[in-house]
Amino acid sequence: MSLALSDNTAGHRAQVHRSTRASLVGLVVAVIVVVSLAYGPFAFLTKGNQQNLTTLFIYIILGTMWNLLAGYAGMVSIGQQAFIGIGAYGIVYASDILGLGLWIGLALALVISGIVAYLVSFLAFRLSGGYFAIGTWVIAEVIYLLTTQINTLGAGAGISFTAFRGYKPEIRIAVVYWIALAAVVVAVAVTYLLLRSRLGAGFTAVRDDATAAATLGVNVTRSRRIAWVVAAMGCGLAGTLLAMTTLNVQPGSVFKIQWTAFMIFIVIIGGVGTIEGPIIGAIVFYALERYIGDVGFWYLVILGIIAIAMVLFLPKGLWGLISGNGRLRLFPTGYRLTSPLPTPIANGTPDSREGESS
Amino acid sequence: MSESQLLSVRGLSKKFGRVVTAEDVTFDVREGEAFGIVGPNGAGKSTLLNLIGGVIDPDAGSIEFGGRDITRLKAANRAKVGIARSFQIPRPFVDMTVFENVYVGSSFAGGTRGQHGYDRAYAALETTGLLGLAETPAGQLRLLDRKRLELARALATGPRLILLDEIAGGLTEKEIPPLIDTIRGLLASGVTVVWIEHIVHALVSVVDRLMCLAEGRILALGDPHEVMRSPEVIEVYLGTTFDIDEGRAS
Amino acid sequence: MEWANAVVQGLLLGGLYALLAAGLSLMFGVMRLVNLAHGALAIVAAYLGYVLVQNTGLPPFATIIVVIPVMAALGWVLQSTLLNTALNKQALAPILVTFGLAVILQNLMLQLFTADYRSIQVGDLAGASIQITPEIAIGVFPLITFIVGVIVIAALQQYLARTKTGRAMRATSDDREAATLMGIDNKRIYALATAIALAIVGVAGIFIGIKTQFNAYSGDTYLIFAFEAVIIGGLGSLWGTLAGGMILGVATTVGAQLFPSSGTLLADLVFLAILAFLPTGLFPKVVNG
Amino acid sequence: MALLEVESIDVFYGDFQAIYGISLSVDEGETLAVIGANGAGKSTLLKTIAGLSRPSAGDVRFDGTSIATLPPHKRVPLGIALTPEGRRMFPSMTIEENLLVGAHKSRPGPWNLESVYATFPLLSDRRSRLANNASGGEQQAAAIGRALMCNPRLLLLDEVSLGLAPVVVEQIYASLPTITAQGTTVLVVEQDVMHALRVADRVQCLLEGRTVLEGTPAELTRDQIATAYFGI
Amino acid sequence: GGGSINSSSSSAAASTAASDSASASQSAAPAGTVKIGFVSPQTGPLAPFGESDTFVINYMKDYFAKNPLQIGGKPYNVDIIVKDAESDSAKAGKAAADLINNDGVDIVMAAGTPDIVNPVADACEANATPCITDNAPWQPYVLGRSKGDINAKFQWTYHFFWGLGDIAGTFVDIWNQIPTNKKVGGLFPNDPDGQAWSANLPEGYKAAGYTLTFPPLYPNGTQDFTAQINYFKQQNDEILTGVPIPPDFTTFWKQAKQQGYNPKAATIGKALLFPSSVDALGDLGNDLSTEVWWHPTWPTTSSLTGVTPKEFCALYEEQTGKQWTQPIGYVEALFEVAANALTTSGSTDKAALVKTLSTLGTDTIVGKVQWDPNQKGPDGGPNVAVTPVAGGQWRLAPAGSKYKYELVIVSNAVAKKRGLDIPVGSKAEAIPGS
Ligand SMILES: Nc1ncnc2c1ncn2[C@@H]1O[C@H](COP(=O)(O)OP(=O)(O)OP(=O)(O)O)[C@@H](O)[C@H]1O
Ligand SMILES: Nc1ncnc2c1ncn2[C@@H]1O[C@H](COP(=O)(O)OP(=O)(O)OP(=O)(O)O)[C@@H](O)[C@H]1O
Ligand SMILES: [Mg+2]
Ligand SMILES: [Mg+2]
């Protein structure tokens, strides 16, 4: 029996495919969509459209981030609102109060989100499972309560975001729209690249079994921390966009736990553990809000019913349905060993039933 | 310590509350040797592997590997310096394919990324006979294949020392000889093996030295046949005399 | 003496937290079900009590005779229909289902009872107290809450630890399929657990309704305290939940005595500090929380 | 009359058929060993008898009545107990609590905490330890004890000796006759064929979901078994 | 292809009224439609502020259906588009932007606490659309949006309501009727109202010989007020004031009773605004006092519909079966002001509208609403019209009454200075048992 511990004995070169025809098509379509969306404000997008799309982009970012965290890295946080709040307050503080302007303010808000997440991780990562979930919630609550003690940030009364004062409405709306478009592209791309990198496999391994992952050389804490910080910065980014669209930041609003509930909703109705899922989920969530949002309390009741129905009847989410339970992947992150494969072994399970999908 | 000691464990102790699982355990494993561990249930064998692998920290004592003190090294880094292990109760990454499971080993602990990593993962699958299942989600594997996967992942890390915990448990007698061949192949390629097994005849047919643990202490250590003949070992572990020839014959 | 008073009042508050958290502890700690509808369900019970007092003239505390069975029945139905199915799906399913449930309940209650604040009237009892020292007075109603909280937790703890059904509940939460192999009907046992949890939530709801005023959304205020009490005590341990409630209560009042703006903040910090040193809480009973 | 009759059952996991028309019959007090290579369908067979899997064709009769559609928890009171593959302990409960859960639907009989501890002294020392922390072998022993606690008429043991020290394996096999002597019927899946042959009244060998060999240990030769194992 | 999505969002909220207006439009052959957007909290924790809005909106829809608005001499249909802010400031701001950019409204209105009003106004400012708001004291409205600059001037957004200076005057007038040691304790939450009340009241009291002291602001949802009670007891505060949310006040007040803190007067904003929250106090609500923005005895009529406060409250009680509440007057007044602005400016042009608003005066059901571009910051500034406020005390209603409590006017001094002579119902009483 040959022992192939040195690389590539027996002359085999394993052929591994990481993308599929669908994913190439998907990439092309994504580029076309993004480019036309970027051009939109000059041609076919009204102010209202741009505003609506901005909201949608915020939801996509939030969904993508929570999915990275819970769906891939296995950290079920219900405290992501902390970073939405930090992003929102961060940009107001840096842009308005420190007077650094929009762009530096935006960058600084992201940096602050990242730093806070990094520091918080030393406490949060001591916890796991239910302890982690509630712990993150309480951490978010602490950040919220601390914010309400800071007078420069308007304390409990909140603060208006004034960096856009003097902009014409159509300019401001378009600028915010472009920022949001860029943000959503960056958020999805960073997540995707992260998951395609070696770390992506590490995330899933850690989620499935942290101890086993560690014995295979995965630095569990480090890979968790990377996902955590990235997700926090993503939520911070969404927070800055929120401040840019609502122009008024109030602690009770940006720090509320419903944000996380919405993220969970988006991820689960779209399909957890896929890049596509949260995008679909965000579109659905947005559409619900937009088209039945005006029926007042019924909107919320319907939202609740849909949440329950989706979980019970479509546990893999809409993307699971569309993709035929994962056969279609526009953003593949896995490793498909395509050759050389021997014919199924005699007493082993003929694996035809699992299907060599893709 | 002589040059050829790959692993040397000194005065290792570990208690869980009042439960003593390792008490002043001291032994060496030579480079390239096959080292067997037996002992009654709950003797502390798996715990010992956990201590060596860095899954848990000892209360006292030290562990050296390749001349380097690794007592404080984290599990992930021990994997990187060349310690691989399999778990008694297999712990596959259920949402990944078999190939991806193994690639985690080759790319992280093995440090071989990209094509090199694929090739090494491929080789490990081939060695363990899992190639036909490479694309199967690991969660769907049955027991034997899960055990094979444990081995394949460990192999893919390119280890100097491999710690096996009851890798033959649950295999039928017909399935054991191929496994033994695999392990012999490992040894031949220069890997050091520490192997816990209750299927004594399989173990004894491979290992150079055997250690028997009981209640966290070393009861006997030395030539496998001698250890198996020691009255204490017979009393606490075997129950009756062990017929080595019978074991070999089957 | 102010400090002593703060501690005493904190303990009493802890009684309420523990009472609120008991049902949650059963569902979260034992069934691993993160019930985000817990607060909303307490308010359902509060409205039920309110309606009973308004329309039948039943004395406030007597409403529990009706509220307990009704909430228990609701729990049974919820578990047998929605929650059991959710538990069979992916791990995140129960969170989303109970979130959906909370949203539905809140808004249906809003529709049914309007946004007006209500309260269950107990007349003079509301302001009654027992003077211990010139500075320390113990409110009679908080004291009743405290005693009920302790009794409920003690009873539940004994039930889980000592009875066959209690054991079956824990076994089911560990491994449902293995439990069926022991002859345990897991659907029934979970329905029973949720029925008990909601019966306790029912009692807690009545006490909230008496303590202060509520409307459809008031439940959310209490949710985090209840979760904190469960976690700080350690998943699966009812005594832990009681201790957790007390710690939070005292941290809140003593914290507020120190910094009146930050009682809740300090309680949260105490919670985090304890978890930093005991990452699985004070008395964890559940593996892989 | 046979206590358990399995009549040409088919069992599927999704689209995959694990069992093709297997039949068997066990009399009261008899011990049947089921052997076969990995993946032969042994565990699936036991799961089907215990109710965790449903046959898509054929019938399972216990004491003359069909139980094929009965959920597992309703089979326990009839006296069917399974020690599942992989032990399936309740990790957050102690060893003793695990045993007590086994007695949830207990029938009258010789097995109780005392007698289980007497049979597995190993467990007696560790009764208050969390199952999660117990060693592999301790868990295995507890899993067997737990199944005994309900005083089953039919005991289904999947991979009994897995992970147990030889001395414990000896103990278990030594106690099997006592168990059957009380009228308990045992269906045992065992990797260690020699052991299985020693205690079984009859042996049934499966290969890829089908019965390929049946007989009493005395009738069967090693070669027959070896052939049956891999179908070579 | 702009407003393709417009139609969907307007419809659902009040379909009956919409069909009414459709039938009316056939006969009148209107020159066009003017769209008014309205944002208020109809669900969520602030819902008590928004819950009576449906009544007023339906009332206005009925009115406009029968009486198209005359703008530039031509009749216009009025389309009222309502959005629920879900008690969330981000939602409120988004709703306003939505009304402007998707629904194409001509003017936005909002009511109910600074949490809702401020983000709506900010959104209108940024989207260059006229905005009229009320039901929030003017100080948090101005200061909260200007990072504390009292002289801030806004281009598109106008507000009318009373201010905290008048509150201090009114409260002092109530307390002067009750013998006390003139020491006042403040129960202020850390929210926009609490911030504004605690920052702006102390000076007003000092002038009148009262000293207000208060512990640091507590967060909403506080479950135990022992620290605050200890504080008030230690200060020997015989008067209590504050602006807690209703459940927090109930928690506080019951605990205060239990722990033996019995002030002679308790004059509380917000928590005692709604009859239901006073009812919920049981008998402990008697003789608690509060500011009164509006009351059935207000000597005013609607400039639009001619309805009087008494009639309007009666209509509300008849249609909803609930006791009248103060926000209905102020929401009605929003429509009066908007209608007046539209008619006066003679067009729906946004720039023209704000120009009109800057000097507009309307005699509304809540009193005179008059903006003055030359008004200075401390008086509300150019974007604020200050309206009168009185003081009232909740009294257990006589046996056989329909409701448990009734709100009796006990102070009108400040309103009188603002030119509104409100009849006083009774003298203020000390709280029983104090
Ligand atoms: N976390 C823990 N807390 C308490 N006791 C523990 C813990 N982990 C292990 N033990 C106990 O330590 C002893 C040694 O366990 P270990 O798993 O090392 O045994 P082993 O020798 O591998 O046994 P087996 O052959 O049955 O697998 C056992 O008795 C076990 O119950
Ligand atoms: N849950 C499952 N889903 C899909 N296929 C399964 C499942 N469980 C078992 N199988 C398949 O059914 C076949 C029979 O499995 P079974 O576990 O009954 O075999 P076994 O004889 O008990 O093998 P082992 O010795 O490995 O325990 C195998 O091919 C296995 O892969
Ligand atoms: Mg072991
Ligand atoms: Mg099996």
Side-chain angles (χ1 to χ4, degrees), chain B residues 19 39-42 88-89 142-144 147 166 169-175 198 200 235-240 246 250, chain D residues 36-39 85 87 122 126 129 135-138 159 162-168 191-194 226 229-230:
Chain B
V19 184
N41 295 118
Q88 178 173 2
I89 298 170
R142 52 180 214 248
L143 186 65
L144 171 67
K147 295 225 168 200
E166 297 199 24
L171 301 195
T172 53
E173 284 160 61
K174 303 292 160 191
E175 289 154 347
H198 288 303
V200 176
E235 190 197 326
V236 302
Y237 182 62
L238 292 171
T240 56
E246 153 82 2
S250 63
Chain D
N38 270 283
E85 193 175 25
R87 303 162 188 135
L122 173 67
R126 282 131 173 142
R129 200 161 296 173
S135 79
E138 290 162 356
E159 317 218 345
L162 180 67
L164 291 179
V167 60
V168 183
Q191 307 294 10
D192 186 342
V193 180
M194 292 341 287
Y229 248 90
F230 295 116

Side-chain angles (χ1 to χ4, degrees), chain A residues 11 25 130 168 210 305 350:
Chain A
V25 172
K168 277 200 168 131
I305 291 173

Side-chain angles (χ1 to χ4, degrees), chain C residues 24-267:
Chain C
L24 199 65
S25 187
L26 182 62
M27 291 183 76
F28 188 23
V30 177
M31 283 192 282
R32 322 271 164 93
L33 202 149
V34 177
N35 181 12
L36 292 180
H38 190 79
L41 286 162
I43 300 302
V44 168
Y47 272 120
L48 197 58
Y50 171 80
V51 168
L52 285 168
V53 171
Q54 275 336 81
N55 298 340
T56 66
L58 214 60
F61 288 106
T63 56
I64 60 170
I65 302 169
V66 181
V67 169
I68 286 181
V70 170
M71 292 301 288
L74 178 65
W76 188 284
V77 171
L78 268 182
Q79 185 70 43
S80 334
T81 53
L82 290 184
L83 299 178
N84 272 335
T85 325
L87 283 169
N88 280 330
K89 311 282 171 178
Q90 39 156 319
L92 292 169
I95 298 191
L96 191 58
V97 167
T98 56
F99 165 68
L101 193 64
V103 173
I104 295 172
L105 286 175
Q106 282 174 345
N107 289 288
L108 287 179
M109 286 190 288
L110 177 75
Q111 222 44 20
L112 217 55
F113 295 102
T114 75
D116 288 352
Y117 282 102
R118 315 283 165 129
S119 167
I120 301 173
Q121 303 297 338
V122 289
D124 291 342
L125 183 62
S129 61
I130 306 164
Q131 200 73 34
I132 306 287
T133 72
E135 282 85 12
I136 301 177
I138 295 184
V140 175
F141 174 71
L143 184 63
I144 296 175
T145 315
F146 179 86
I147 293 169
V148 170
V150 172
I151 291 176
V152 162
I153 290 221
L156 197 56
Q157 170 74 34
Q158 291 305 308
Y159 179 76
L160 279 179
R162 304 257 177 270
T163 68
K164 200 168 122 178
T165 326
R167 262 197 309 269
M169 243 168 231
R170 291 185 290 141
T172 308
S173 85
D174 273 2
D175 186 335
R176 284 199 290 167
E177 196 175 78
T180 63
L181 289 175
M182 308 297 122
I184 299 168
D185 181 353
N186 60 31
K187 295 224 166 83
R188 225 191 106 258
I189 215 89
Y190 269 10
L192 181 64
T194 306
I196 294 173
L198 287 212
I200 299 171
V201 174
V203 176
I206 299 290
F207 278 82
I208 289 177
I210 295 173
K211 177 181 189 255
T212 179
Q213 349 184 311
F214 58 92
N215 71 5
Y217 300 99
S218 303
D220 285 350
T221 325
Y222 300 96
L223 200 56
I224 191 166
F225 301 123
F227 270 115
E228 282 181 83
V230 174
I231 287 291
I232 214 175
L235 283 182
S237 163
L238 270 300
W239 288 131
T241 303
L242 181 64
M246 299 291 150
I247 290 171
L248 284 177
V250 173
T252 308
T253 52
V254 172
Q257 193 65 41
L258 270 174
F259 304 103
S261 61
S262 311
T264 320
L265 177 62
L266 286 168

Side-chain angles (χ1 to χ4, degrees), chain E residues 38-102:
Chain E
F38 181 72
V39 182
S40 78
Q42 270 137 44
T43 54
L46 296 175
F49 284 90
E51 77 163 327
S52 55
D53 294 347
T54 318
F55 161 79
V56 184
I57 302 282
N58 287 338
Y59 175 82
M60 293 318 305
K61 282 184 172 164
D62 274 355
Y63 172 80
F64 286 124
K66 296 189 194 100
N67 309 280
L69 204 55
Q70 296 296 321
I71 302 174
K74 295 191 204 97
Y76 272 70
N77 275 337
V78 178
D79 192 0
I80 303 171
I81 306 170
V82 182
K83 293 232 184 246
D84 177 14
E86 295 172 36
S87 299
D88 179 296
S89 62
K91 271 265 155 68
K94 237 178 68 183
D98 219 21
L99 284 167
I100 297 164
N101 294 316
N102 283 315

Side-chain angles (χ1 to χ4, degrees), chain A residues 46 51-52 148 160 248 256 294, chain E residues 2 9 88 101-102 122 190:
Chain A
T46 64
Q51 206 169 268
N52 299 343
T148 63
S160 294
N248 185 297
K256 69 180 185 180
D294 291 329
Chain E
S9 43
D88 179 296
N101 294 316
N102 283 315
D122 281 347
N190 187 8

Side-chain angles (χ1 to χ4, degrees), chain A residues 109-198:
Chain A
L110 293 187
V111 171
I112 297 171
S113 309
I115 291 175
V116 173
Y118 179 75
L119 295 177
V120 156
S121 71
F122 288 93
L123 173 59
F125 285 7
R126 293 181 60 83
L127 314 176
S128 62
Y131 295 87
F132 179 82
I134 306 300
T136 51
W137 185 10
V138 176
I139 288 170
E141 200 69 10
V142 165
I143 292 175
Y144 157 60
L145 289 170
L146 285 174
T147 308
T148 63
Q149 308 276 321
I150 302 173
N151 285 325
T152 28
L153 297 180
I159 195 163
S160 294
F161 184 41
T162 50
F164 284 108
R165 290 245 165 112
Y167 276 58
K168 277 200 168 131
E170 44 277 10
I171 307 277
R172 174 185 57 84
I173 290 174
V175 167
V176 173
Y177 166 80
W178 280 316
I179 298 177
L181 179 62
V184 88
V185 170
V186 168
V188 174
V190 163
T191 307
Y192 182 47
L193 292 177
L194 201 58
L195 293 175
R196 267 181 79 88
S197 78
R198 188 179 66 139

